């Protein structure tokens, strides 16, 4: 056992990602050994450095109107290459299925006529918007960015907890976490081959440009933010800066004649792709909430005319509905003809009388969630709820059964986390980010955001509920390392001058992008 982990609890009920019943898991011993080499006092010191660097850099999150630093833990979550390959394949599959589903419900509705999902489930979703029925997107993509929330139960199996295909947030912390960890633990990070995350902005920009209206070869892309008071404003600003595009608010845009333009000091400039970080209801006051000051009247008309692309597409929230979530395995089989790669959490549909009756009898054993909630809001964890809370929940379910689902209490996996100077197990989840470029391919950010619940035993990990985060390391597999090494050797032989590894990597990546753009395929 590693000295640093001597007092770390073993054999607990929840699956621990790093420490098994027999000590540190074999695949992660090198990471534990490097941390051990630093010693507990030094690791504590580096942890304090991490907490201060985020305050200095203004990496914050809004909690109840108060800006707080987003806690980053010193111990990374480490995933093996084959482990992440499973997550990667499952995330891609899920996005492909949701693309097909969203396209279908706003056009033909085959899933209704074939009895895969009841029409009323979709039509009663608060995120189903009839004004976008029949709207065809430029490159057939509606889900440009997705965040798939995964948990790992005590059996070690990854399961999808929920889907986020409206405006999933948190990717900025993946990138800032990596930069901070490389600075705080250079010895540990340097001893391992960790898949990079800094390609995300370029992959996102490539996907957004690919979604430009037909005939536009040099599209203008903007990031639309609600403004500085939004809890994710830091992320909006960071992504715009890293993609090299304008960060705009609704008042910066003007829609006229079925087109959208950006107000500049030199006059109006056409806009072709809007990466919006505003909810549907506030996006276009001419169609949705008339009192919205955050959006721009006329955006939807311009999108319907095919002159601007809104990413993610309006109406995607249907796929985020937690009642629709229960049908996703069937949707994967229906649209893709495949079995789901990622498992789901068992879920009761409370609009079904038998399920509702069973759940009402077991409220104190289950987790009950509102179908349109986010950020952990409205969740009732039965074993921890008071009698009054359960009674209030019972009345809410009887009043609006469609609005709730129930799931068993899943003991989320744990990862060693620095708490009061000691390593202690804390529950985590994982949000991989998926960027869909249509014919350009689907990119899955290596790792994703690991959120950690800091209080002991807490199962709600959301940042908005006071959770923190961890850097997620996906180690490069032996096959990938060999392939990269061979590519480097080939590139060196082809070059008339000596090249460093960093330069060679950049050249290989550039060549790969050119191959994708020209439709070539590698052997």
């Amino acid at each position: 056992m590693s000295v640093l982990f001597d007092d770390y609890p073993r054999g607990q009920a929840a699956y621990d990602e790093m420490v098994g019943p027999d000590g540190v898991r074999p695949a992660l011993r090198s990471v534990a050994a490097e941390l051990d080499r630093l010693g507990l006092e030094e690791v504590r010191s580096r942890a304090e450095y991490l907490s201060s660097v985020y305050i200095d850099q203004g990496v914050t999150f809004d909690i109840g109107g108060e800006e707080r630093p987003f806690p980053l833990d010193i111990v990374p979550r480490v995933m093996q290459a084959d482990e992440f390959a499973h997550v990667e394949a499952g995330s891609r599959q899920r996005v492909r299925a949701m693309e097909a589903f969203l396209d279908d419900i706003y056009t033909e509705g085959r899933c209704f006529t074939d009895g895969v999902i009841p029409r009323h489930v979709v039509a009663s979703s608060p995120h189903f918007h009839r004004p976008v029925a029949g709207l065809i997107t430029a490159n057939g993509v509606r889900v440009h960015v997705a965040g798939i929330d995964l948990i790992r139960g005590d059996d070690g199996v990854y399961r999808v907890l929920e889907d986020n295909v409206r405006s999933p947030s948190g990717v900025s912390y993946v990138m800032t976490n990596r930069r901070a960890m490389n600075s705080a633990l250079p010895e540990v990070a340097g001893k391992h081959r960790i898949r990079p995350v800094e390609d995300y902005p370029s992959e996102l920009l490539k996907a957004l440009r690919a979604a430009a209206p037909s005939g536009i070869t040099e599209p203008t892309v903007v990031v639309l933010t609600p403004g500085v008071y939004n809890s994710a404003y830091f992320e909006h600003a960071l992504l715009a800066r890293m993609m090299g595009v304008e960060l705009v608010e609704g008042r910066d845009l003007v829609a006229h004649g079925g087109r959208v333009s950006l107000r500049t000091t030199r006059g109006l400039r056409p806009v072709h792709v809007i990466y919006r970080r505003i909810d549907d209801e506030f996006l276009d006051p001419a169609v949705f909430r008339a009192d919205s000051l955050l959006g721009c009247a006329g955006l939807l008309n311009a999108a319907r005319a095919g002159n601007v692309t809104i990413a993610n597409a309006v109406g995607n929230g249907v796929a985020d509905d937690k009642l629709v979530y229960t049908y996703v395995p069937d949707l994967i089989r229906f649209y893709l003809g495949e079995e789901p790669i990622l498992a789901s959490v068992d879920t009761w549909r409370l609009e079904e009388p038998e399920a509702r009756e069973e759940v009402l009898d077991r409220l104190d054993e289950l987790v009950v969630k509102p179908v349109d909630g986010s950020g952990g809001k409205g969740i009732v964890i039965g074993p921890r709820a008071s009698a009054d809370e359960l009674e209030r929940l019972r009345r809410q379910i009887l009043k609006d059964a469609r609005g709730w689902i129930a799931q068993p209490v899943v003991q989320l996996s744990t990862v060693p986390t620095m708490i009061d100077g000691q390593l202690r197990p804390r529950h985590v989840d994982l949000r991989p980010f998926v960027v869909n470029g249509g014919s350009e391919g689907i990119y899955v950010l290596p790792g994703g955001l690991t959120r950690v619940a800091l209080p002991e035993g807490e199962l709600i990990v959301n940042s908005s509920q006071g959770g923190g985060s961890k850097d997620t390391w996906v180690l490069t597999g032996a096959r990938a390392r060999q392939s990269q090494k061979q590519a480097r050797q080939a590139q060196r032989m082809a070059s008339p001058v000596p090249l460093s590894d960093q330069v060679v990597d950049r050249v290989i990546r550039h060549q790969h992008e050119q191959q994708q753009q020209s439709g070539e395929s590698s052997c």
Side-chain angles (χ1 to χ4, degrees), residues 83-101:
E83 183 184 350
F84 185 70
H86 174 72
V87 168
E88 194 172 22
S91 300
R92 280 200 182 99
Q93 182 192 56
R94 210 160 173 99
V95 167
R96 286 164 49 220
M98 285 189 285
E99 276 285 0
F101 168 66

Side-chain angles (χ1 to χ4, degrees), residues 110-118 327 330-332 334-335 349:
R110 289 191 300 121
C111 59
F112 306 135
T113 54
D114 285 27
V116 182
I117 181 171
Y327 293 91
D330 292 330
L331 297 175
I332 291 173
F334 178 66
Y335 291 114
R349 299 166 182 159

Side-chain angles (χ1 to χ4, degrees), residues 83-277:
E83 183 184 350
F84 185 70
H86 174 72
V87 168
E88 194 172 22
S91 300
R92 280 200 182 99
Q93 182 192 56
R94 210 160 173 99
V95 167
R96 286 164 49 220
M98 285 189 285
E99 276 285 0
F101 168 66
L102 289 167
D103 182 67
D104 190 23
I105 63 171
Y106 285 113
T107 55
E108 298 177 76
R110 289 191 300 121
C111 59
F112 306 135
T113 54
D114 285 27
V116 182
I117 181 171
R119 186 184 295 272
H120 78 268
V121 170
V122 170
S124 62
S125 170
H127 303 295
F128 177 70
H129 297 309
R130 288 186 175 80
V132 296
L135 195 154
I136 306 298
T137 54
N139 63 342
V141 174
R142 291 175 183 269
V143 182
H144 303 82
V145 181
I148 313 293
D149 287 354
L150 304 176
I151 58 172
R152 206 173 191 186
D154 52 10
D155 55 2
V157 175
Y158 282 103
R159 289 181 171 82
V160 178
L161 188 62
E162 63 183 52
D163 304 295
N164 300 276
V165 295
R166 282 176 285 174
S167 296
S169 62
V171 73
S172 59
Y173 301 116
V174 177
M175 294 182 283
T176 54
N177 284 356
R178 179 60 51 83
R179 193 162 58 237
M181 286 293 285
N182 282 342
S183 173
L185 292 177
E187 310 91 337
V188 185
K191 291 284 179 63
H192 299 86
R193 298 189 68 90
I194 306 165
R195 289 183 61 183
V197 298
E198 62 267 23
D199 288 344
Y200 182 84
S202 62
E203 292 290 342
L204 176 58
L205 182 60
K206 189 165 68 176
L208 294 174
R209 288 172 62 89
S214 176
I216 305 297
T217 55
E218 290 297 331
T220 297
V221 178
V222 298
V223 176
L224 176 59
T225 175
V228 296
Y229 296 109
N230 184 268
S231 60
Y233 181 76
F234 166 79
E235 177 161 305
H236 307 163
L238 183 76
L239 287 175
R241 179 164 56 82
M242 297 187 78
M243 289 194 291
V245 304
E246 297 279 355
L247 177 68
V248 304
E249 297 183 23
R251 61 190 174 185
D252 298 319
L253 301 176
V254 56
H256 54 101
R259 298 179 185 279
V260 178
S261 296
L262 173 64
R263 301 177 201 271
T264 75
T265 55
R266 296 182 179 179
L268 296 179
R269 180 183 172 194
V271 171
H272 306 105
V273 182
I274 299 174
Y275 178 40
R276 55 74 176 252
R277 299 298 296 261

Side-chain angles (χ1 to χ4, degrees), residues 378-392:
I379 293 177
V380 178
I381 300 177
R384 297 184 185 176
S386 66
D388 287 346
E389 288 172 327
L390 293 178
E391 182 54 34
R392 190 160 52 245

